[in-house]
Amino acid sequence: MALTRDDYRRALHALLPPGQALPADADSRWQQLLEALAGELARADGRAETLRDEADVRTTYELLADWERVAGLPDPCVPGEQTLEERRAALVRVLIGTGGQSRNYYVELAAALGYEITIEEHHPHTVADDVAHPIKGDTWRWAWTVRSPESTVTYLTVAGTVDEPLATWGNERLECVIERFKPAHTDVLFAYG
């Protein structure tokens, strides 16, 4: 907790040597100077405490644009304005993300974006397959399907501001992010509903 102006004034006064050279009346120029110094020290202490919140991407506000610049954001998959919470979540995702190619990685990536998906992997038809299995050619080994609700609704969180929309709809962001992070040799299909 940051010290107040009174805390600093008392501390500065306690550091002074005793005597008549430095008057103790509140109206003296010396006490006015100590009051001004105490105010500036309290302001600097408060800003230092704010810096602690700014150093954490989950709570940053003033340095958010600088954090985004360092992380290579805003994401090209996000057209238009983002809410404060979406911007912070994107920062966390970029800074702590380790990447991956597993089915679970893409399900978690979509969940971090606010989408609930399932993934279906395809493989070419072989002699060992059941007769009910669809006949697919050799190129299907590099294809996979992302299944999602037809339209995903994202609602405003409690930490949002008054100028942010209460809800947004759509799956364009999901498609863009999955396409960007998918292995280059694969083809991803999107199925909704």
Side-chain angles (χ1 to χ4, degrees), residues 137-180:
D138 217 21
T139 56
W140 279 93
R141 81 176 65 238
W142 312 118
W144 48 293
T145 302
V146 172
R147 297 192 180 280
S148 174
E150 189 167 335
S151 185
T152 302
V153 182
T154 307
Y155 295 99
L156 178 70
T157 63
V158 176
T161 61
V162 295
D163 59 341
E164 295 174 358
L166 296 176
T168 56
W169 290 262
N171 294 322
E172 297 82 18
R173 186 170 168 207
L174 171 68
E175 290 186 23
C176 183
V177 171
I178 296 288
E179 284 285 347
R180 195 171 77 221

Side-chain angles (χ1 to χ4, degrees), residues 62-188:
E62 292 179 36
L63 296 178
L64 182 60
D66 198 42
W67 274 107
E68 288 176 325
R69 179 188 56 78
V70 169
L73 294 173
D75 191 338
C77 290
V78 183
E81 292 293 317
Q82 284 183 288
T83 65
L84 181 64
E85 282 305 306
E86 287 173 334
R87 291 171 68 190
R88 286 178 179 160
L91 264 172
V92 170
R93 190 175 61 253
V94 167
L95 294 176
I96 68 170
T98 57
Q101 293 184 357
S102 68
R103 179 186 300 200
N104 193 38
Y105 168 72
Y106 292 101
V107 170
E108 289 175 3
L109 178 64
L113 295 169
Y115 298 95
E116 191 174 317
I117 66 166
T118 58
I119 293 179
E120 175 187 343
E121 294 177 303
H122 303 284
H123 61 81
H125 188 76
T126 64
V127 186
D129 285 335
D130 185 1
V131 291
H133 186 271
I135 298 177
K136 297 177 182 169
D138 217 21
T139 56
W140 279 93
R141 81 176 65 238
W142 312 118
W144 48 293
T145 302
V146 172
R147 297 192 180 280
S148 174
E150 189 167 335
S151 185
T152 302
V153 182
T154 307
Y155 295 99
L156 178 70
T157 63
V158 176
T161 61
V162 295
D163 59 341
E164 295 174 358
L166 296 176
T168 56
W169 290 262
N171 294 322
E172 297 82 18
R173 186 170 168 207
L174 171 68
E175 290 186 23
C176 183
V177 171
I178 296 288
E179 284 285 347
R180 195 171 77 221
F181 288 113
K182 74 177 179 69
H185 67 283
T186 65
D187 291 316
V188 61

Side-chain angles (χ1 to χ4, degrees), residues 2-6 8 37-48:
L3 296 176
T4 65
R5 174 183 281 228
D6 288 337
Y8 275 108
L37 288 173
E40 189 58 24
L41 289 170
R43 186 194 66 78
D45 195 11
R47 293 300 293 156

